[in-house]
Amino acid sequence: LCQKSRQLPGPVHIGSLVITFADKASYMDRAGELTALLAESEGRDQVMIVCTAENIYKQLPPNENIEVTDELLKAIGKAIPEALLKIM
């Protein structure tokens, strides 16, 4: 996570998944698990990870795009309940 922003970078296209963590430490604790869950999906939807406390975000590269499905959202929600998920 390297970029600081007062708001999400634009434009975030329709079909983006924004995953918000309270802080960077929470994200880092779950990064491996999240990466494994996202790796199971391939598609055209972008993924952005946001850490609220530090006001930073990370947009995953296009080769890590996913397909946002109900199953994927449920899997992330079950494995990482502290993460807030938003589909844009």
Side-chain angles (χ1 to χ4, degrees):
L1 296 167
C2 336
Q3 301 175 353
K4 268 194 175 234
S5 177
R6 296 201 187 285
Q7 56 185 333
L8 292 179
V12 176
H13 84 302
I14 293 175
S16 295
L17 175 62
V18 179
I19 306 170
T20 303
F21 288 87
D23 53 33
K24 186 176 178 179
S26 298
Y27 166 67
M28 296 305 289
D29 288 344
R30 299 296 197 132
E33 190 172 0
L34 180 60
T35 300
L37 288 167
L38 296 176
E40 296 175 10
S41 179
E42 290 184 22
R44 296 175 52 182
D45 301 322
Q46 295 177 339
V47 177
M48 180 175 300
I49 299 165
V50 177
C51 298
T52 305
E54 295 84 3
N55 199 24
I56 56 176
Y57 69 91
K58 174 182 180 179
Q59 186 162 347
L60 299 185
N63 67 330
E64 295 183 37
N65 282 357
I66 62 167
E67 180 180 349
V68 176
T69 63
D70 287 338
E71 293 80 24
L72 179 62
L73 295 175
K74 287 177 186 175
I76 294 171
K78 184 177 179 182
I80 310 172
E82 68 272 16
L84 299 176
L85 308 176
K86 183 175 182 181
I87 302 170
M88 312 242 341

